[in-house]
Amino acid sequence: SKIGSVEMGARDQIKYIAAPIWNDLIGSLKQQFRSVEFDGFPGNHGHDKLAPETSSYDLLLYDILKASIGQCEGITINAHEQFADIVDINGFKFFCFHGDEIPCQQGVPFFAIDKKLKSWYIQFGGFNYAIGGHFHKRHSDEIASKFEYFMNGSLVSDDEWVLKKLGISSNPSQWLLGVHSVH
């Protein structure tokens, strides 16, 4: 977004909105489960193109979570500094990434996502599921019968970025997936 076009800057968004919301969510999940493990990946949020990739505000948020709720017993916060990684959950391989590295073609990211995921599948040695975001649109797809892909939605509805960039509308939503060691 352009400076002056948002209600508050990136630092205040992290301090007053993102960190408290994630602390509350992770804390509420911990009340239901023996352990909670959070894996965060950097994207384009609050990142200046001229700055090093490690100056991402996404990584700053994960560092804050690690220093706060991550200090609680049974809660692990993993801040991944690379753009993507495979996370093992009960024996299933999840390829996790932000998605800002995938270009849109005529406002549609789906063809590019399909192509990138097939390349990453080979490069990273295969995985069962892929999870991404960035495009502010909830979406899932089966990719060549080898793995499934889940794209997170946005926490806001009809935000200007997605309407301008993709020309689509979406309801506020996030995936919450459960993983069982057999199913």
PDB file of all heavy atoms in Angstrom, residues 99-114 116 133-137 151 161-162 164-168:
ATOM      1  N   GLY A  99       3.749 -16.978  -1.233  1.00  0.00           N
ATOM      2  CA  GLY A  99       3.104 -16.883  -2.542  1.00  0.00           C
ATOM      3  C   GLY A  99       3.398 -15.603  -3.297  1.00  0.00           C
ATOM      4  O   GLY A  99       3.018 -15.469  -4.457  1.00  0.00           O
ATOM      5  N   ASP A 100       4.075 -14.650  -2.653  1.00  0.00           N
ATOM      6  CA  ASP A 100       4.344 -13.382  -3.332  1.00  0.00           C
ATOM      7  C   ASP A 100       5.331 -13.540  -4.482  1.00  0.00           C
ATOM      8  O   ASP A 100       5.449 -12.650  -5.318  1.00  0.00           O
ATOM      9  CB  ASP A 100       4.831 -12.307  -2.344  1.00  0.00           C
ATOM     10  CG  ASP A 100       6.118 -12.687  -1.633  1.00  0.00           C
ATOM     11  OD1 ASP A 100       6.222 -13.818  -1.138  1.00  0.00           O
ATOM     12  OD2 ASP A 100       7.012 -11.828  -1.572  1.00  0.00           O
ATOM     13  N   GLU A 101       6.000 -14.690  -4.563  1.00  0.00           N
ATOM     14  CA  GLU A 101       6.948 -14.918  -5.644  1.00  0.00           C
ATOM     15  C   GLU A 101       6.277 -15.465  -6.911  1.00  0.00           C
ATOM     16  O   GLU A 101       6.920 -15.698  -7.912  1.00  0.00           O
ATOM     17  CB  GLU A 101       8.055 -15.887  -5.198  1.00  0.00           C
ATOM     18  CG  GLU A 101       7.575 -17.239  -4.722  1.00  0.00           C
ATOM     19  CD  GLU A 101       6.997 -17.240  -3.313  1.00  0.00           C
ATOM     20  OE1 GLU A 101       7.493 -16.549  -2.421  1.00  0.00           O
ATOM     21  OE2 GLU A 101       6.003 -17.947  -3.112  1.00  0.00           O
ATOM     22  N   ILE A 102       4.961 -15.660  -6.871  1.00  0.00           N
ATOM     23  CA  ILE A 102       4.230 -16.194  -8.017  1.00  0.00           C
ATOM     24  C   ILE A 102       3.550 -15.049  -8.763  1.00  0.00           C
ATOM     25  O   ILE A 102       2.727 -14.333  -8.188  1.00  0.00           O
ATOM     26  CB  ILE A 102       3.186 -17.231  -7.563  1.00  0.00           C
ATOM     27  CG1 ILE A 102       3.888 -18.395  -6.877  1.00  0.00           C
ATOM     28  CG2 ILE A 102       2.354 -17.716  -8.750  1.00  0.00           C
ATOM     29  CD1 ILE A 102       2.957 -19.411  -6.269  1.00  0.00           C
ATOM     30  N   PRO A 103       3.857 -14.868 -10.043  1.00  0.00           N
ATOM     31  CA  PRO A 103       3.259 -13.772 -10.810  1.00  0.00           C
ATOM     32  C   PRO A 103       1.824 -14.099 -11.253  1.00  0.00           C
ATOM     33  O   PRO A 103       1.465 -15.262 -11.410  1.00  0.00           O
ATOM     34  CB  PRO A 103       4.176 -13.659 -12.031  1.00  0.00           C
ATOM     35  CG  PRO A 103       4.679 -15.055 -12.229  1.00  0.00           C
ATOM     36  CD  PRO A 103       4.809 -15.645 -10.847  1.00  0.00           C
ATOM     37  N   CYS A 104       1.049 -13.064 -11.415  1.00  0.00           N
ATOM     38  CA  CYS A 104      -0.301 -13.207 -11.968  1.00  0.00           C
ATOM     39  C   CYS A 104      -0.236 -12.992 -13.473  1.00  0.00           C
ATOM     40  O   CYS A 104       0.562 -12.203 -13.962  1.00  0.00           O
ATOM     41  CB  CYS A 104      -1.247 -12.160 -11.384  1.00  0.00           C
ATOM     42  SG  CYS A 104      -1.684 -12.457  -9.679  1.00  0.00           S
ATOM     43  N   GLN A 105      -1.083 -13.682 -14.195  1.00  0.00           N
ATOM     44  CA  GLN A 105      -1.210 -13.456 -15.632  1.00  0.00           C
ATOM     45  C   GLN A 105      -2.630 -12.984 -15.883  1.00  0.00           C
ATOM     46  O   GLN A 105      -3.579 -13.716 -15.644  1.00  0.00           O
ATOM     47  CB  GLN A 105      -0.892 -14.744 -16.399  1.00  0.00           C
ATOM     48  CG  GLN A 105       0.539 -15.171 -16.191  1.00  0.00           C
ATOM     49  CD  GLN A 105       0.746 -16.667 -16.393  1.00  0.00           C
ATOM     50  OE1 GLN A 105      -0.177 -17.436 -16.514  1.00  0.00           O
ATOM     51  NE2 GLN A 105       2.001 -17.065 -16.420  1.00  0.00           N
ATOM     52  N   GLN A 106      -2.765 -11.741 -16.286  1.00  0.00           N
ATOM     53  CA  GLN A 106      -4.062 -11.092 -16.488  1.00  0.00           C
ATOM     54  C   GLN A 106      -4.898 -11.141 -15.209  1.00  0.00           C
ATOM     55  O   GLN A 106      -6.095 -11.376 -15.239  1.00  0.00           O
ATOM     56  CB  GLN A 106      -4.801 -11.726 -17.655  1.00  0.00           C
ATOM     57  CG  GLN A 106      -4.063 -11.560 -18.966  1.00  0.00           C
ATOM     58  CD  GLN A 106      -4.794 -12.209 -20.121  1.00  0.00           C
ATOM     59  OE1 GLN A 106      -5.784 -12.901 -19.957  1.00  0.00           O
ATOM     60  NE2 GLN A 106      -4.287 -11.962 -21.315  1.00  0.00           N
ATOM     61  N   GLY A 107      -4.229 -10.946 -14.066  1.00  0.00           N
ATOM     62  CA  GLY A 107      -4.918 -10.908 -12.777  1.00  0.00           C
ATOM     63  C   GLY A 107      -5.257 -12.270 -12.205  1.00  0.00           C
ATOM     64  O   GLY A 107      -5.868 -12.366 -11.157  1.00  0.00           O
ATOM     65  N   VAL A 108      -4.868 -13.354 -12.875  1.00  0.00           N
ATOM     66  CA  VAL A 108      -5.200 -14.704 -12.416  1.00  0.00           C
ATOM     67  C   VAL A 108      -3.915 -15.440 -12.029  1.00  0.00           C
ATOM     68  O   VAL A 108      -3.045 -15.641 -12.873  1.00  0.00           O
ATOM     69  CB  VAL A 108      -5.938 -15.494 -13.528  1.00  0.00           C
ATOM     70  CG1 VAL A 108      -6.256 -16.907 -13.059  1.00  0.00           C
ATOM     71  CG2 VAL A 108      -7.193 -14.757 -13.950  1.00  0.00           C
ATOM     72  N   PRO A 109      -3.784 -15.857 -10.756  1.00  0.00           N
ATOM     73  CA  PRO A 109      -2.558 -16.539 -10.343  1.00  0.00           C
ATOM     74  C   PRO A 109      -2.591 -18.052 -10.537  1.00  0.00           C
ATOM     75  O   PRO A 109      -1.572 -18.709 -10.409  1.00  0.00           O
ATOM     76  CB  PRO A 109      -2.489 -16.217  -8.850  1.00  0.00           C
ATOM     77  CG  PRO A 109      -3.922 -16.152  -8.442  1.00  0.00           C
ATOM     78  CD  PRO A 109      -4.636 -15.527  -9.628  1.00  0.00           C
ATOM     79  N   PHE A 110      -3.744 -18.635 -10.866  1.00  0.00           N
ATOM     80  CA  PHE A 110      -3.914 -20.079 -10.772  1.00  0.00           C
ATOM     81  C   PHE A 110      -3.032 -20.890 -11.724  1.00  0.00           C
ATOM     82  O   PHE A 110      -2.532 -21.935 -11.365  1.00  0.00           O
ATOM     83  CB  PHE A 110      -5.386 -20.448 -10.919  1.00  0.00           C
ATOM     84  CG  PHE A 110      -6.245 -19.709  -9.923  1.00  0.00           C
ATOM     85  CD1 PHE A 110      -7.177 -18.795 -10.336  1.00  0.00           C
ATOM     86  CD2 PHE A 110      -6.063 -19.905  -8.563  1.00  0.00           C
ATOM     87  CE1 PHE A 110      -7.935 -18.092  -9.414  1.00  0.00           C
ATOM     88  CE2 PHE A 110      -6.812 -19.214  -7.632  1.00  0.00           C
ATOM     89  CZ  PHE A 110      -7.755 -18.306  -8.061  1.00  0.00           C
ATOM     90  N   PHE A 111      -2.821 -20.441 -12.946  1.00  0.00           N
ATOM     91  CA  PHE A 111      -1.962 -21.162 -13.882  1.00  0.00           C
ATOM     92  C   PHE A 111      -0.508 -21.121 -13.399  1.00  0.00           C
ATOM     93  O   PHE A 111       0.205 -22.117 -13.462  1.00  0.00           O
ATOM     94  CB  PHE A 111      -2.076 -20.582 -15.295  1.00  0.00           C
ATOM     95  CG  PHE A 111      -3.487 -20.565 -15.806  1.00  0.00           C
ATOM     96  CD1 PHE A 111      -4.145 -19.364 -16.020  1.00  0.00           C
ATOM     97  CD2 PHE A 111      -4.172 -21.745 -16.051  1.00  0.00           C
ATOM     98  CE1 PHE A 111      -5.452 -19.338 -16.467  1.00  0.00           C
ATOM     99  CE2 PHE A 111      -5.483 -21.737 -16.503  1.00  0.00           C
ATOM    100  CZ  PHE A 111      -6.123 -20.524 -16.712  1.00  0.00           C
ATOM    101  N   ALA A 112      -0.091 -19.962 -12.913  1.00  0.00           N
ATOM    102  CA  ALA A 112       1.274 -19.813 -12.418  1.00  0.00           C
ATOM    103  C   ALA A 112       1.485 -20.629 -11.143  1.00  0.00           C
ATOM    104  O   ALA A 112       2.558 -21.209 -10.940  1.00  0.00           O
ATOM    105  CB  ALA A 112       1.597 -18.342 -12.172  1.00  0.00           C
ATOM    106  N   ILE A 113       0.482 -20.677 -10.272  1.00  0.00           N
ATOM    107  CA  ILE A 113       0.575 -21.479  -9.048  1.00  0.00           C
ATOM    108  C   ILE A 113       0.760 -22.945  -9.417  1.00  0.00           C
ATOM    109  O   ILE A 113       1.627 -23.636  -8.883  1.00  0.00           O
ATOM    110  CB  ILE A 113      -0.678 -21.305  -8.165  1.00  0.00           C
ATOM    111  CG1 ILE A 113      -0.700 -19.907  -7.542  1.00  0.00           C
ATOM    112  CG2 ILE A 113      -0.748 -22.374  -7.080  1.00  0.00           C
ATOM    113  CD1 ILE A 113      -2.003 -19.565  -6.850  1.00  0.00           C
ATOM    114  N   ASP A 114      -0.044 -23.434 -10.342  1.00  0.00           N
ATOM    115  CA  ASP A 114       0.031 -24.823 -10.778  1.00  0.00           C
ATOM    116  C   ASP A 114       1.432 -25.149 -11.297  1.00  0.00           C
ATOM    117  O   ASP A 114       2.044 -26.151 -10.919  1.00  0.00           O
ATOM    118  CB  ASP A 114      -1.026 -25.070 -11.862  1.00  0.00           C
ATOM    119  CG  ASP A 114      -1.135 -26.525 -12.231  1.00  0.00           C
ATOM    120  OD1 ASP A 114      -1.881 -27.257 -11.544  1.00  0.00           O
ATOM    121  OD2 ASP A 114      -0.485 -26.932 -13.217  1.00  0.00           O
ATOM    122  N   LYS A 116       4.355 -23.476 -10.778  1.00  0.00           N
ATOM    123  CA  LYS A 116       5.371 -23.359  -9.716  1.00  0.00           C
ATOM    124  C   LYS A 116       5.323 -24.561  -8.783  1.00  0.00           C
ATOM    125  O   LYS A 116       6.362 -25.112  -8.407  1.00  0.00           O
ATOM    126  CB  LYS A 116       5.147 -22.094  -8.890  1.00  0.00           C
ATOM    127  CG  LYS A 116       5.661 -20.846  -9.525  1.00  0.00           C
ATOM    128  CD  LYS A 116       7.106 -20.631  -9.174  1.00  0.00           C
ATOM    129  CE  LYS A 116       7.432 -19.195  -9.511  1.00  0.00           C
ATOM    130  NZ  LYS A 116       8.821 -18.895  -9.388  1.00  0.00           N
ATOM    131  N   GLY A 133      -0.552 -18.488   0.426  1.00  0.00           N
ATOM    132  CA  GLY A 133      -1.456 -17.376   0.711  1.00  0.00           C
ATOM    133  C   GLY A 133      -1.278 -16.296  -0.324  1.00  0.00           C
ATOM    134  O   GLY A 133      -1.312 -16.561  -1.513  1.00  0.00           O
ATOM    135  N   HIS A 134      -1.065 -15.093   0.104  1.00  0.00           N
ATOM    136  CA  HIS A 134      -0.732 -13.909  -0.673  1.00  0.00           C
ATOM    137  C   HIS A 134      -1.873 -13.333  -1.511  1.00  0.00           C
ATOM    138  O   HIS A 134      -2.021 -12.134  -1.593  1.00  0.00           O
ATOM    139  CB  HIS A 134       0.487 -14.155  -1.567  1.00  0.00           C
ATOM    140  CG  HIS A 134       0.892 -12.954  -2.375  1.00  0.00           C
ATOM    141  ND1 HIS A 134       1.381 -11.806  -1.772  1.00  0.00           N
ATOM    142  CD2 HIS A 134       0.852 -12.716  -3.704  1.00  0.00           C
ATOM    143  CE1 HIS A 134       1.634 -10.912  -2.720  1.00  0.00           C
ATOM    144  NE2 HIS A 134       1.332 -11.433  -3.892  1.00  0.00           N
ATOM    145  N   PHE A 135      -2.694 -14.170  -2.138  1.00  0.00           N
ATOM    146  CA  PHE A 135      -3.643 -13.680  -3.122  1.00  0.00           C
ATOM    147  C   PHE A 135      -4.996 -13.267  -2.556  1.00  0.00           C
ATOM    148  O   PHE A 135      -5.904 -12.919  -3.308  1.00  0.00           O
ATOM    149  CB  PHE A 135      -3.816 -14.712  -4.239  1.00  0.00           C
ATOM    150  CG  PHE A 135      -2.551 -14.907  -5.016  1.00  0.00           C
ATOM    151  CD1 PHE A 135      -1.760 -16.028  -4.821  1.00  0.00           C
ATOM    152  CD2 PHE A 135      -2.118 -13.945  -5.912  1.00  0.00           C
ATOM    153  CE1 PHE A 135      -0.582 -16.194  -5.521  1.00  0.00           C
ATOM    154  CE2 PHE A 135      -0.932 -14.099  -6.610  1.00  0.00           C
ATOM    155  CZ  PHE A 135      -0.168 -15.225  -6.417  1.00  0.00           C
ATOM    156  N   HIS A 136      -5.165 -13.317  -1.236  1.00  0.00           N
ATOM    157  CA  HIS A 136      -6.384 -12.836  -0.572  1.00  0.00           C
ATOM    158  C   HIS A 136      -7.640 -13.535  -1.085  1.00  0.00           C
ATOM    159  O   HIS A 136      -8.711 -12.957  -1.110  1.00  0.00           O
ATOM    160  CB  HIS A 136      -6.547 -11.317  -0.746  1.00  0.00           C
ATOM    161  CG  HIS A 136      -5.446 -10.523  -0.122  1.00  0.00           C
ATOM    162  ND1 HIS A 136      -5.687  -9.380   0.600  1.00  0.00           N
ATOM    163  CD2 HIS A 136      -4.102 -10.695  -0.094  1.00  0.00           C
ATOM    164  CE1 HIS A 136      -4.543  -8.877   1.016  1.00  0.00           C
ATOM    165  NE2 HIS A 136      -3.567  -9.657   0.610  1.00  0.00           N
ATOM    166  N   LYS A 137      -7.519 -14.776  -1.495  1.00  0.00           N
ATOM    167  CA  LYS A 137      -8.653 -15.537  -2.029  1.00  0.00           C
ATOM    168  C   LYS A 137      -8.529 -16.979  -1.556  1.00  0.00           C
ATOM    169  O   LYS A 137      -7.534 -17.644  -1.806  1.00  0.00           O
ATOM    170  CB  LYS A 137      -8.626 -15.479  -3.561  1.00  0.00           C
ATOM    171  CG  LYS A 137      -9.670 -16.315  -4.250  1.00  0.00           C
ATOM    172  CD  LYS A 137     -11.012 -15.666  -4.159  1.00  0.00           C
ATOM    173  CE  LYS A 137     -12.030 -16.457  -5.003  1.00  0.00           C
ATOM    174  NZ  LYS A 137     -13.361 -16.075  -4.683  1.00  0.00           N
ATOM    175  N   MET A 151      -4.952 -22.475  -0.576  1.00  0.00           N
ATOM    176  CA  MET A 151      -4.588 -21.059  -0.550  1.00  0.00           C
ATOM    177  C   MET A 151      -5.445 -20.392   0.516  1.00  0.00           C
ATOM    178  O   MET A 151      -6.669 -20.475   0.476  1.00  0.00           O
ATOM    179  CB  MET A 151      -4.865 -20.395  -1.906  1.00  0.00           C
ATOM    180  CG  MET A 151      -4.509 -18.935  -1.933  1.00  0.00           C
ATOM    181  SD  MET A 151      -5.104 -18.029  -3.395  1.00  0.00           S
ATOM    182  CE  MET A 151      -4.678 -19.076  -4.737  1.00  0.00           C
ATOM    183  N   TRP A 161      -6.645  -4.078  -2.475  1.00  0.00           N
ATOM    184  CA  TRP A 161      -5.553  -4.741  -3.182  1.00  0.00           C
ATOM    185  C   TRP A 161      -6.081  -5.870  -4.065  1.00  0.00           C
ATOM    186  O   TRP A 161      -5.760  -5.951  -5.234  1.00  0.00           O
ATOM    187  CB  TRP A 161      -4.518  -5.299  -2.195  1.00  0.00           C
ATOM    188  CG  TRP A 161      -3.353  -5.930  -2.901  1.00  0.00           C
ATOM    189  CD1 TRP A 161      -2.215  -5.306  -3.324  1.00  0.00           C
ATOM    190  CD2 TRP A 161      -3.219  -7.306  -3.302  1.00  0.00           C
ATOM    191  NE1 TRP A 161      -1.389  -6.203  -3.959  1.00  0.00           N
ATOM    192  CE2 TRP A 161      -1.986  -7.434  -3.956  1.00  0.00           C
ATOM    193  CE3 TRP A 161      -4.036  -8.425  -3.171  1.00  0.00           C
ATOM    194  CZ2 TRP A 161      -1.534  -8.644  -4.468  1.00  0.00           C
ATOM    195  CZ3 TRP A 161      -3.584  -9.627  -3.683  1.00  0.00           C
ATOM    196  CH2 TRP A 161      -2.348  -9.729  -4.321  1.00  0.00           C
ATOM    197  N   VAL A 162      -6.900  -6.763  -3.489  1.00  0.00           N
ATOM    198  CA  VAL A 162      -7.369  -7.915  -4.261  1.00  0.00           C
ATOM    199  C   VAL A 162      -8.332  -7.484  -5.365  1.00  0.00           C
ATOM    200  O   VAL A 162      -8.324  -8.047  -6.456  1.00  0.00           O
ATOM    201  CB  VAL A 162      -7.973  -9.013  -3.352  1.00  0.00           C
ATOM    202  CG1 VAL A 162      -9.348  -8.623  -2.855  1.00  0.00           C
ATOM    203  CG2 VAL A 162      -8.028 -10.341  -4.068  1.00  0.00           C
ATOM    204  N   LYS A 164      -8.237  -4.643  -6.958  1.00  0.00           N
ATOM    205  CA  LYS A 164      -7.427  -3.985  -7.978  1.00  0.00           C
ATOM    206  C   LYS A 164      -6.538  -4.976  -8.728  1.00  0.00           C
ATOM    207  O   LYS A 164      -6.462  -4.967  -9.952  1.00  0.00           O
ATOM    208  CB  LYS A 164      -6.547  -2.939  -7.285  1.00  0.00           C
ATOM    209  CG  LYS A 164      -6.409  -1.643  -8.022  1.00  0.00           C
ATOM    210  CD  LYS A 164      -5.793  -0.622  -7.090  1.00  0.00           C
ATOM    211  CE  LYS A 164      -4.581  -0.008  -7.733  1.00  0.00           C
ATOM    212  NZ  LYS A 164      -3.969   1.013  -6.929  1.00  0.00           N
ATOM    213  N   LYS A 165      -5.869  -5.850  -7.985  1.00  0.00           N
ATOM    214  CA  LYS A 165      -4.893  -6.765  -8.574  1.00  0.00           C
ATOM    215  C   LYS A 165      -5.553  -7.945  -9.289  1.00  0.00           C
ATOM    216  O   LYS A 165      -5.195  -8.283 -10.407  1.00  0.00           O
ATOM    217  CB  LYS A 165      -3.958  -7.269  -7.475  1.00  0.00           C
ATOM    218  CG  LYS A 165      -2.845  -8.147  -7.946  1.00  0.00           C
ATOM    219  CD  LYS A 165      -1.733  -7.342  -8.540  1.00  0.00           C
ATOM    220  CE  LYS A 165      -0.540  -8.240  -8.819  1.00  0.00           C
ATOM    221  NZ  LYS A 165       0.516  -7.556  -9.492  1.00  0.00           N
ATOM    222  N   LEU A 166      -6.513  -8.579  -8.633  1.00  0.00           N
ATOM    223  CA  LEU A 166      -7.116  -9.788  -9.181  1.00  0.00           C
ATOM    224  C   LEU A 166      -8.519  -9.567  -9.731  1.00  0.00           C
ATOM    225  O   LEU A 166      -9.016 -10.387 -10.491  1.00  0.00           O
ATOM    226  CB  LEU A 166      -7.169 -10.890  -8.120  1.00  0.00           C
ATOM    227  CG  LEU A 166      -5.842 -11.280  -7.470  1.00  0.00           C
ATOM    228  CD1 LEU A 166      -6.066 -12.355  -6.433  1.00  0.00           C
ATOM    229  CD2 LEU A 166      -4.855 -11.750  -8.511  1.00  0.00           C
ATOM    230  N   GLY A 167      -9.168  -8.498  -9.294  1.00  0.00           N
ATOM    231  CA  GLY A 167     -10.529  -8.243  -9.746  1.00  0.00           C
ATOM    232  C   GLY A 167     -11.541  -9.218  -9.167  1.00  0.00           C
ATOM    233  O   GLY A 167     -12.572  -9.482  -9.767  1.00  0.00           O
ATOM    234  N   ILE A 168     -11.248  -9.763  -7.980  1.00  0.00           N
ATOM    235  CA  ILE A 168     -12.143 -10.738  -7.364  1.00  0.00           C
ATOM    236  C   ILE A 168     -12.574 -10.272  -5.979  1.00  0.00           C
ATOM    237  O   ILE A 168     -11.969  -9.398  -5.389  1.00  0.00           O
ATOM    238  CB  ILE A 168     -11.493 -12.134  -7.252  1.00  0.00           C
ATOM    239  CG1 ILE A 168     -10.172 -12.063  -6.477  1.00  0.00           C
ATOM    240  CG2 ILE A 168     -11.287 -12.758  -8.619  1.00  0.00           C
ATOM    241  CD1 ILE A 168      -9.505 -13.396  -6.233  1.00  0.00           C
TER     242      ILE A 168
END
